[in-house]
Structures are given as C-alpha cells and as structure tokens.
C-alpha cells in the first residue's frame, strides 16, 4: 500500500526488479579513511545527543562514525564534515555529519555498514524501527544507484551471494528517489540482483540539498507477520504486511535469518560521474509500539506523532 502524492510502480503496473547490485561482503574494510573538517551550518538544532537507550544512535558529533565500518571500492571517499556557520553545505542537526563521494573511474562504492547486535543485525521475526536523514549534494547521471540497504545475508560469502534486499532506497536513471522492497518473495535460487521491486517513486527529480528524513518500521520475516512501513518527512508513503525476504541465495542454499544496514553510495561499475550524499542522525532500535517507537528514532526535523 502506497500513500501520498507520489508515483507508484508496483507489480502489474510496470514493476522494476533492480538487478545492478552484486554486493558480496567478502571483505570488511577498517575505518582508516581520513576524517576531515569542512565548513558547514546546521539547519536544525539537535535536541538529542547520542541516546544510549537506542541500539544505535550515530550523529557524528564526536567526529566518529563508530560503530559503523567502511566499505569502499576504488576511489570512493567518506569524510566527517563540520559546521562553522560559513556555508550552505549543511548537516541535518548539531555540528557534524558524514559525507560520501564517488567520482571518476572505478569509484563505485562508498558506504558505512554495521552487522553486529544490537541494531546492526536485524533478526527475522523481530521488530525494528530506524530513522535517518540524508541530502543529495551533487548528482550527475547514473543508470542505477543505491543510497540505503537492508542487506540480505547468504549462507556463506566465499562462493555465494545474497538474494534481494528487503528494503533499498535507490536513485532512478532519471534522478528520482525510489523505494525498492521484496514484495513477493522468491523461493527459487537467487539471481544476484539486490534491489527488489520498485514500489514507490518520488514524483519529481531529486532537489539538491533538500533533506530527506526517513522513518521505517520493519519486521523481516518469511511468514505472514512481516511488516514494512515507511515515512518520508513525517508522511507515510508505504505499508506492506506479510513475507518480505527471499528464501535462497545464489548457491540455492537457505539465506541466514538476519539482515544488516548499509548507507552511502553504491552505483554501476562503469559510471565515472560524480555523486555526493550527506547523512546524519542515524537511529536504530529493536522496539515496538506506535507512536512511541516512531518518536524514538525520528531524525530532527520530523515532528513527533
């Protein structure tokens, strides 16, 4: 179910199954990239410093992206930016945020990932709420790109790849933000594409430097108890109940029964143009109950329910 004045692309009406991503997690890169400061100015004061009651609350105010680790291919770049009030290149709240850049040949991935409990490992049949804010600072044309993934996990990474991600935020070839999900799970051997079915597309191309503040309710499940709900800037845009994970990996073996988040930039290997995305205020919690769970993970700039 899709709500709001947005374009819907779903099963039976031009559904698109994004196949660009191979996403093999066979190497965990340590967070050794340079952390640099840039002149930025906050648009919203951060009312919450890091909240220890949440499983993950990363606002970058300490100059670190911990507990996340980096996944970078080619010349992708991840930096901490700092507001000094001098420019319009802004974090969502507070004084700091994290910037992802891909540009030039072979720079096709710059992501943060987390796969440890709690928060980073989302087990099947448990309910999670998460929220985050991002803005697109620069976007030159790509044929496909991913900005946020809840990554499926294969039986093992040495020879197998995962099935589709249950939730992926993507950018379309005409520069529109889109939501892809597993709406009809597959029971056959996975083909290697990760994006799932596009079920929601923003009506207009992305507006540079406009904050996109998301909240999700998510219960990964192979059964009827699965849930996906999504709010953008406080307005609900999508609801799905029922199974939302594929059964098998590319080796035809059962996938592991958990998923993990990744954020940043991942695009087609052949693209050499430049993309820049800034993330802030990433919150994840295993919790239940609306509106309290929504309010606990909503990024600054989203009103309480």
């Amino acid at each position: 179910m899709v709500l709001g004045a947005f374009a819907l692309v779903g099963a039976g009406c031009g559904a698109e199954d994004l196949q660009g991503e191979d996403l093999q997690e066979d190497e965990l890169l340590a967070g050794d990239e340079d952390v640099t400061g840039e002149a930025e100015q906050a648009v919203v004061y951060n009312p919450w410093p890091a909240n220890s009651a949440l499983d993950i609350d990363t606002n970058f105010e300490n100059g670190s992206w911990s507990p996340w680790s980096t996944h970078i291919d080619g010349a992708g770049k991840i930096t901490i930016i700092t507001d000094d009030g001098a420019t319009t290149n802004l974090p969502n709240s507070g004084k700091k945020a994290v910037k992802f850049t891909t540009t030039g040949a072979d720079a096709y991935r710059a992501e943060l990932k987390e796969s440890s409990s709690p928060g980073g490992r989302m087990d099947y049949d448990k309910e999670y709420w998460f929220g985050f804010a991002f803005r697109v600072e620069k976007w030159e044309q790509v044929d496909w790109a991913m900005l946020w993934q809840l990554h499926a996990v294969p039986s093992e990474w040495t020879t197998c790849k995962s099935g589709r991600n249950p939730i992926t935020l993507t950018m379309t070839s005409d520069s529109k933000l889109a939501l892809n999900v597993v709406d009809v799970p597959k029971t056959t051997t996975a083909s290697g594409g990760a994006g799932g079915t596009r079920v929601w597309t923003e009506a207009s191309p992305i507006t540079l430097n406009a904050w996109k503040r998301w909240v999700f309710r998510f219960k990964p499940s192979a059964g009827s108890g699965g849930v996906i709900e999504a709010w953008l800037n406080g307005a609900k845009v999508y609801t799905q109940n029922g199974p939302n994970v594929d059964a098998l990996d590319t080796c035809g073996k059962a996938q592991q029964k958990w998923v993990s988040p990744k954020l940043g930039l991942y695009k087609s290997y052949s693209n050499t143009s430049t993309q820049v995305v800034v993330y802030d205020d990433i919150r994840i919690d295993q919790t239940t109950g609306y509106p309290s769970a929504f309010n606990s993970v909503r990024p600054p700039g989203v009103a309480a329910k």
Side-chain angles (χ1 to χ4, degrees):
M1 178 181 184
V2 177
L3 307 174
F6 300 96
L8 168 64
V9 182
C13 55
E16 177 175 328
D17 199 35
L18 188 64
Q19 296 292 323
E21 164 79 295
D22 65 0
L23 292 172
Q24 182 151 345
E25 303 289 272
D26 56 358
E27 182 177 359
L28 178 64
L29 301 180
D32 294 333
E33 286 67 34
D34 290 338
V35 177
T36 63
E38 297 182 6
E40 308 292 324
Q41 180 179 353
V43 292
V44 181
Y45 172 68
N46 187 353
W48 301 300
N51 183 353
S52 60
L54 301 178
D55 291 338
I56 292 176
D57 185 5
T58 308
N59 59 21
F60 310 101
E61 294 303 294
N62 63 355
S64 168
W65 47 64
S66 177
W68 304 82
S69 59
T70 62
H71 191 179
I72 297 175
D73 287 314
K77 185 178 181 181
I78 305 175
T79 57
I80 299 291
I81 58 174
T82 302
D83 166 31
D84 69 357
T87 76
T88 57
N89 188 15
L90 309 173
N92 182 59
S93 69
K95 302 293 286 186
K96 297 182 184 293
V98 64
K99 179 178 288 188
F100 302 84
T101 304
T102 54
T103 188
D106 299 323
Y108 57 85
R109 187 198 304 269
E111 293 180 300
L112 293 178
K113 63 181 181 178
E114 167 61 2
S115 59
S116 59
S117 294
R121 174 176 172 143
M122 300 185 185
D123 294 314
Y124 284 17
D125 299 310
K126 294 181 180 179
E127 184 170 322
Y128 300 86
W129 286 74
F130 55 94
F132 52 85
F134 71 80
R135 61 176 172 80
V136 175
E137 183 174 302
K138 184 173 184 177
W139 199 264
E140 296 178 348
Q141 193 68 24
V142 297
D143 51 357
W144 62 265
M146 298 183 177
L147 305 181
W148 172 277
Q149 305 178 58
L150 282 187
H151 204 302
V153 182
S155 57
E156 52 87 14
W157 284 111
T158 304
T159 58
C160 304
K161 298 177 183 179
S162 63
R164 298 171 299 167
N165 298 332
I167 297 175
T168 311
L169 288 176
T170 65
M171 195 75 81
T172 66
S173 59
D174 54 354
S175 301
K176 294 179 180 179
L177 184 62
L179 172 64
N180 293 59
V181 304
V182 172
D183 58 341
V184 180
K186 295 180 180 179
T187 58
T188 55
T189 299
S191 62
T197 301
R198 189 192 303 170
V199 294
W200 170 91
T201 307
E202 202 161 25
S204 301
I206 195 75
T207 300
L208 296 182
N209 294 313
W211 283 100
K212 302 295 184 180
R213 301 178 176 105
W214 287 90
V215 173
F216 284 86
R217 177 191 177 202
F218 176 53
K219 186 176 183 180
S221 181
S224 60
V227 176
I228 299 173
E229 292 184 273
W231 292 258
L232 173 58
N233 295 334
K236 183 176 276 192
V237 297
Y238 186 69
T239 298
Q240 175 182 316
N241 294 294
N244 51 35
V245 291
D246 288 341
L248 305 178
D249 62 20
T250 58
C251 295
K253 299 177 181 178
Q255 298 199 112
Q256 297 188 50
K257 294 184 178 182
W258 57 280
V259 299
S260 61
K262 299 185 73 177
L263 62 126
L265 286 167
Y266 183 84
K267 65 180 183 179
S268 55
Y269 307 126
S270 60
N271 187 279
T272 60
S273 61
T274 299
Q275 296 76 36
V276 181
V277 174
V278 175
Y279 264 88
D280 205 357
D281 300 310
I282 305 159
R283 301 185 171 112
I284 302 174
D285 203 29
Q286 182 189 334
T287 187
T288 60
Y290 179 88
S292 60
F294 178 101
N295 292 334
S296 69
V297 300
R298 63 186 172 91
V302 174
K305 297 294 185 182

